[in-house]
Amino acid sequence: MEIKQANFLTSAASEAQFLRPEKPMIAVCGKSNSGKSTLINLLANRKGLAKTSASPGRTRLVNYFDFGAFWLADLPGYGYAAVSKSEQEKWGKTLDAFFANREDIAHVFLLSDIRRDPSEDDMQMVAYLNYHILPFTVIATKSDKLSKMKRKERTRKIAQAFGLGEGNVIAVSGFTGEGKEDLIKKIAQIISLE
């Protein structure tokens, strides 16, 4: 599978603005600053398709992208303490409303920084996805920050922490492109199941 084009579709601030997908839709979620925008740009082969920021908590809307054969929905990051409690609750409600339309979601990519153990928020997200029977894959981001041996070790540890098989965790670097091929293979598999 080859991604030839990728375009921003729209942003949604509320459930009323959510798009009903015309193609298989993959949701991208994770803690604030886990690398969601970087991952989208890596897949698109474009630097500025999704806005990246050094400071966490920038994505506050659901942003939709058309990748030709599939759509990506970039969800607001969770677990960022520096925003107000009311803002955190608003993001939580947005995520709940988004995932309520389970039939619209082909798969979920849950991003987790490979250098860190999954947080309580990450564990809650996995429990939520399991409870709602939403298929997901963990994307261990920022893998270029570790040696090859350490990457393998951390991938195994993250899989164990989430109670998953190692095949359900893909180590990816938005900086070097490492893991992109595995990610595209996974997307091709998701699309073929639709």
Side-chain angles (χ1 to χ4, degrees):
M1 180 181 135
E2 194 181 342
I3 296 170
K4 292 191 171 126
Q5 54 97 26
N7 299 301
F8 172 74
L9 289 171
T10 191
S11 295
S14 66
E15 187 176 359
Q17 297 173 330
F18 290 165
L19 297 182
R20 298 303 304 266
E22 299 161 11
K23 303 170 181 179
M25 184 165 66
I26 299 169
V28 180
C29 69
K31 283 180 67 168
S32 293
N33 224 18
S34 61
K36 295 182 297 296
S37 299
T38 301
L39 182 87
I40 291 166
N41 291 335
L42 172 71
L43 284 172
N45 291 317
R46 281 171 58 191
K47 282 242 188 292
L49 181 63
K51 305 244 181 307
T52 58
S53 173
S55 54
R58 289 287 179 226
T59 305
R60 297 176 180 218
L61 309 166
V62 176
N63 294 310
Y64 293 91
F65 300 88
D66 185 348
F67 276 79
F70 64 98
W71 282 5
L72 277 183
D74 181 18
L75 305 178
Y78 53 77
Y80 183 50
V83 295
S84 68
K85 203 79 176 146
S86 65
E87 189 69 23
Q88 284 181 30
E89 284 169 14
K90 190 174 149 193
W91 292 354
K93 285 180 182 155
T94 301
L95 289 174
D96 276 343
F98 180 84
F99 285 120
N101 294 319
R102 284 201 315 268
E103 67 281 358
D104 287 352
I105 304 162
H107 203 84
V108 178
F109 285 155
L110 171 61
L111 275 59
S112 182
D113 186 328
I114 197 166
R115 301 166 298 172
R116 311 212 179 342
D117 289 336
S119 68
E120 198 176 308
D121 290 319
D122 291 326
M123 299 307 278
Q124 274 185 316
M125 192 71 209
V126 165
Y128 181 93
L129 295 171
N130 281 327
Y131 179 81
H132 291 286
I133 315 169
L134 283 158
F136 70 95
T137 302
V138 174
I139 309 299
T141 59
K142 307 181 185 187
S143 66
D144 56 282
K145 309 274 187 202
L146 301 176
S147 69
K148 199 168 189 170
M149 205 168 103
K150 194 74 175 158
R151 277 197 300 268
K152 268 197 175 319
E153 183 187 311
R154 289 297 306 156
T155 301
R156 193 173 307 119
K157 195 166 181 182
I158 288 168
Q160 285 172 342
F162 283 128
L164 303 170
E166 270 182 72
N168 291 17
V169 179
I170 301 172
V172 173
S173 165
F175 184 67
T176 66
E178 184 230 341
K180 181 180 178 181
E181 206 174 292
D182 292 334
L183 192 57
I184 288 176
K185 274 186 206 158
K186 184 66 190 177
I187 292 168
Q189 182 190 352
I190 293 161
I191 292 167
S192 71
L193 295 174
E194 280 297 295

